[in-house]
Amino acid sequence: MDIQLKRGLLDVCVLAAIKNQDSYGYKIIKDLKPYIELSESTLYTILKRLETADMLTVRTAEHGGRLRKYYHITDEGIRRIEEFKAEWNEILSIYQFVTKEDNGND
């Protein structure tokens, strides 16, 4: 898969994982596992990129005697998800064009 396309899809997946509730790294990976395999190193690179783009914020809180980073989606992150949903119809059209069976018409 094209690296830029995959990067954009992974960004949206991570944003969607924290859309309804703040979350932390391990839980994000666990929540995404049924849909996509994501390593910790890849996730933390994505989280840093999304934070830099103001699509999420980070807060640190103590949990079980340890500090844990919690990620919260921002309005910009919500907008990115909405943009992705709007773009999805175009992506589906491209997919259908690329995968359509040759019906003998040139």
Side-chain angles (χ1 to χ4, degrees), residues 5-106:
L5 177 59
K6 187 172 185 176
R7 180 179 175 186
L9 291 172
L10 291 174
D11 287 0
V12 172
C13 287
V14 170
L15 290 170
I18 64 172
K19 182 180 174 187
N20 296 321
Q21 180 179 337
D22 293 359
S23 194
Y24 54 94
Y26 177 75
K27 184 164 183 343
I28 294 169
I29 289 172
K30 185 178 161 191
D31 290 346
L32 290 176
K33 191 170 183 116
Y35 309 101
I36 190 163
E37 191 70 31
L38 197 61
S39 70
E40 281 187 50
S41 61
T42 300
L43 174 64
Y44 288 108
T45 300
I46 292 167
L47 290 168
K48 188 63 180 168
R49 181 171 59 244
L50 293 173
E51 181 184 9
T52 300
D54 295 323
M55 292 187 199
L56 59 81
T57 58
V58 183
R59 69 178 167 83
T60 303
E62 189 173 332
H63 178 79
R66 296 177 50 191
L67 291 180
R68 179 184 279 173
K69 286 185 177 182
Y70 286 88
Y71 299 90
H72 175 80
I73 194 166
T74 63
D75 290 342
E76 188 64 30
I78 296 290
R79 270 193 292 283
R80 179 60 196 117
I81 291 173
E82 294 306 314
E83 287 171 1
F84 173 79
K85 289 186 212 174
E87 294 164 352
W88 188 247
N89 287 333
E90 183 179 0
I91 294 169
L92 283 177
S93 288
I94 293 167
Y95 175 80
Q96 289 168 347
F97 172 75
V98 170
T99 61
K100 73 180 178 180
E101 292 182 12
D102 183 15
N103 60 11
N105 294 334
D106 289 82

